[in-house]
Amino acid sequence: MRYNIPKNSFFINNRAKLIKKLPKNSLAIINSNDEMPRNGDQNFPFRQNSDLFYLTGLDQEKCIILMCPDHPEEIKREIVFTVKANQSMVIWNGHRYTKEEVTDISGVNNVQWLDAFDMLLRDLVLHSEHVFLNQIEYFKYQTEVPYKDLRFANEIKLKFPQHNFKRLAPLMADLRAVKEPEELEMMQKAVDITNKAFRKVLKTTRPGVMEYQVEAAMSYEFLMNGASGHAYPPIVASGKNACILHYLDNDKECKDGDLLLMDFGAEYGNYAADISRTIPVNGKFTPRQKDCYNAVLRVMKEAIKLYVPGNTINKVDAQVKKMMEKEMIGLGLFTQEDVNKQNPDNPKYFQYFMHGMNHYLGLDVHDVGGKDTPFVAGMVLTCEPGLYIADENIGIRIENDIVVGDTPFDLSRNIPREVDEIENLMLKR
Ligand code: GLY
Ligand code: MN
Ligand code: MN
């Protein structure tokens, strides 16, 4: 295993927190993610369902957990099903969990092979009034792919049409949004690995290097340090490419005089880092690049102070947009008079800073949580102001990962971000 998994007390506690949120006589069911087909006989690399991982620590396909806390038979209150490996599976794919291993990792004592699933599911459903089913409920996301939890929901509704089915996702979102100490440790590790990768990039970037070679330096450090790889496809965007917000080609040459914007993060034990840094390809910012960079950095430093209990994503975003507007006036991009006359539906700043400046972070890079949900200590969010001046080939984003608290804590505090620090480290190439 590449990563150190938290002790099973963490997963036991997560299940206890979920059980507290369930009404009496409930059953909750969560499936492993599918092994997603690629082409021919290949699958994409397996990535566990974040909710199943959060509740069990199991990082293998074809696992299912049933939680039925009021079942009259204590042994049936919590059951994990997993695949029984046959000889051919072991030869081709390697070891699969034994029942004892499932218990060690998750703390669930009743572990069954999948062939017992249908009968036990029937028993648990018939003992329950409410059946909580899982689904992806990310606001701005839709998919045509009928993934495992969704297929399962359709199947079970056909089998038990008189039952009362409920949404599990909002309950899981409430739980997952506030991180436990074990999770902060995993996230710190993901950020620290990303820091190593950034320092490697500072040493290897110079005019003539290709964007994919910068990406290769990141990937190398990630894998060398126990990450499973990138938490999301990295953006390595030089010059005007940095103004393409979701630039993923990473196939251009980094040119003398250009900036290089990198948005990248390691995934460690299924937890994500999400960091952005912007550096001069040749090791020295021009005066204009420096002014623009420091404007974004000033805003970031002020913005981090807003990551306190009670604030919300939308409130912080609105305040930061005002700060950036002021900086843009200072940089001569438009005047206060232009702002006074602007169409409020299309503010001047939007031309140069057109994305949200924060989101929740955790098992998923855009993690669960609401934009108007008041922050609570222990939530983790990104802080990512940006400035994109396409006419000047300038695209800047600086992104850190912040734990909410009366004194916000910066997981990325050790990743260089000052102009002098970056230039000095690049001098040592
Ligand atoms: N890396 C994606 C984001 O910053 O939201
Ligand atoms: Mn982000
Ligand atoms: Mn990012």
Side-chain angles (χ1 to χ4, degrees):
M1 183 147 248
R2 292 175 194 224
Y3 60 91
N4 293 325
I5 192 159
K7 290 204 182 83
N8 65 21
S9 53
F10 166 66
F11 303 108
I12 291 169
N13 182 41
N14 290 346
R15 294 197 294 278
K17 288 193 296 186
L18 175 59
I19 287 168
K20 269 200 195 145
K21 287 183 170 283
L22 296 175
K24 201 156 174 51
N25 296 326
S26 291
L27 167 63
I29 307 170
I30 301 107
N31 288 275
S32 274
N33 271 346
D34 286 307
E35 296 168 280
M36 294 303 291
R38 196 176 115 158
N39 269 302
D41 64 353
Q42 287 189 74
N43 291 328
F44 286 102
F46 177 72
R47 170 55 161 79
Q48 185 54 286
N49 178 288
S50 296
D51 293 321
L52 187 83
F53 184 80
Y54 182 82
L55 294 171
T56 66
L58 299 173
D59 206 351
Q60 186 176 288
E61 72 286 350
K62 295 193 177 75
C63 296
I64 313 171
I65 183 161
L66 301 186
M67 299 169 63
C68 189
D70 299 313
H71 196 288
E73 292 173 68
E74 199 177 338
I75 186 79
K76 292 184 181 165
R77 290 181 186 166
E78 200 173 61
I79 312 175
V80 164
F81 295 83
T82 188
V83 67
K84 182 176 183 183
N86 58 35
Q87 206 185 356
S88 154
M89 280 168 74
V90 172
I91 289 171
W92 286 92
N93 302 324
H95 179 74
R96 288 294 175 267
Y97 291 144
T98 62
K99 289 185 177 182
E100 293 71 28
E101 283 168 337
V102 170
T103 298
D104 278 354
I105 294 168
S106 65
V108 174
N109 289 315
N110 189 352
V111 182
Q112 301 287 332
W113 301 127
L114 278 171
D115 52 17
F117 182 72
D118 286 344
M119 282 311 286
L120 277 164
L121 175 69
R122 185 172 178 77
D123 178 327
L124 271 53
V125 171
L126 296 182
H127 276 99
S128 302
E129 266 176 58
H130 315 281
V131 181
F132 282 79
L133 301 175
N134 207 19
Q135 196 171 333
I136 301 174
E137 292 198 2
Y138 202 86
F139 266 95
K140 285 193 191 159
Y141 177 80
Q142 292 194 65
T143 178
E144 293 179 358
V145 179
Y147 53 92
K148 177 71 187 175
D149 270 330
L150 194 60
R151 292 197 308 278
F152 180 79
N154 290 331
E155 287 160 17
I156 193 173
K157 283 180 178 176
L158 280 177
K159 278 190 198 153
F160 302 99
Q162 316 296 351
H163 265 73
N164 181 5
F165 292 96
K166 294 211 149 112
R167 292 161 59 204
L168 185 66
L171 309 188
M172 291 305 302
D174 278 355
L175 295 183
R176 278 176 48 195
V178 184
K179 272 60 182 178
E180 295 286 344
E182 291 90 338
E183 297 184 280
L184 295 177
E185 212 176 291
M186 301 289 271
M187 294 181 77
Q188 184 67 70
K189 183 87 185 165
V191 171
D192 289 346
I193 294 173
T194 309
N195 185 9
K196 286 191 181 178
F198 180 55
R199 287 168 185 272
K200 176 98 174 170
V201 164
L202 288 174
K203 285 215 177 82
T204 50
T205 300
R206 50 178 54 82
V209 82
M210 301 299 287
E211 292 165 348
Y212 55 77
Q213 292 174 323
V214 176
E215 179 181 341
M218 295 168 179
S219 305
Y220 176 84
E221 284 298 317
F222 286 180
L223 295 179
M224 282 300 282
N225 288 285
S228 56
H230 293 266
Y232 54 90
I235 295 169
V236 183
S238 61
K240 65 176 175 355
N241 303 324
C243 297
I244 304 169
L245 295 180
H246 285 168
Y247 176 79
L248 296 175
D249 292 344
N250 300 355
D251 62 353
K252 310 292 184 306
E253 184 182 322
C254 300
K255 300 245 168 66
D256 197 3
D258 274 350
L259 290 174
L260 175 65
L261 184 158
M262 294 160 286
D263 185 338
F264 64 116
E267 181 182 69
Y268 180 80
N270 290 323
Y271 283 85
D274 182 7
I275 299 294
S276 298
R277 286 293 182 268
T278 307
I279 64 172
V281 167
N282 64 14
K284 188 115 185 95
F285 288 89
T286 66
R288 175 66 173 170
Q289 289 170 346
K290 192 165 160 175
D291 287 346
C292 293
Y293 184 90
N294 278 332
V296 179
L297 187 56
R298 267 193 300 276
V299 169
M300 175 195 240
K301 287 177 182 171
E302 284 307 305
I304 289 174
K305 297 178 189 162
L306 303 173
Y307 287 59
V308 292
N311 236 332
T312 67
I313 284 193
N314 280 336
K315 283 185 193 163
V316 171
D317 191 70
Q319 287 184 69
V320 168
K321 294 282 159 61
K322 284 314 262 183
M323 292 181 206
M324 277 306 304
E325 183 180 79
K326 201 162 149 240
E327 293 288 356
M328 288 173 196
I329 293 170
L331 290 166
L333 294 173
F334 48 80
T335 64
Q336 182 61 49
E337 210 186 354
D338 293 332
V339 172
N340 297 344
K341 287 188 310 204
Q342 75 190 1
N343 171 0
D345 294 333
N346 185 20
K348 298 299 285 182
Y349 73 75
F350 194 74
Q351 189 185 339
Y352 304 102
F353 181 22
M354 55 301 266
H355 59 77
M357 66 75 56
N358 58 6
H359 56 82
Y360 294 96
L361 181 71
L363 283 165
D364 293 308
V365 64
H366 291 172
D367 209 36
V368 289
K371 289 192 170 194
D372 292 303
T373 306
F375 292 168
V376 171
M379 287 179 168
V380 180
L381 295 104
T382 62
C383 178
E384 48 181 305
L387 179 66
Y388 310 91
I389 317 173
D391 293 345
E392 299 184 43
N393 272 4
I394 287 178
I396 296 168
R397 181 159 64 256
I398 318 176
E399 177 173 19
N400 278 14
D401 301 338
I402 312 297
V403 185
V404 171
D406 291 330
T407 308
F409 182 73
D410 189 347
L411 293 171
S412 30
R413 61 202 174 282
N414 296 324
I415 307 185
R417 63 176 183 180
E418 297 293 337
V419 163
D420 290 352
E421 231 179 335
I422 289 171
E423 288 186 344
N424 285 337
L425 284 163
M426 290 188 83
L427 261 183
K428 296 187 189 126
R429 287 173 296 176

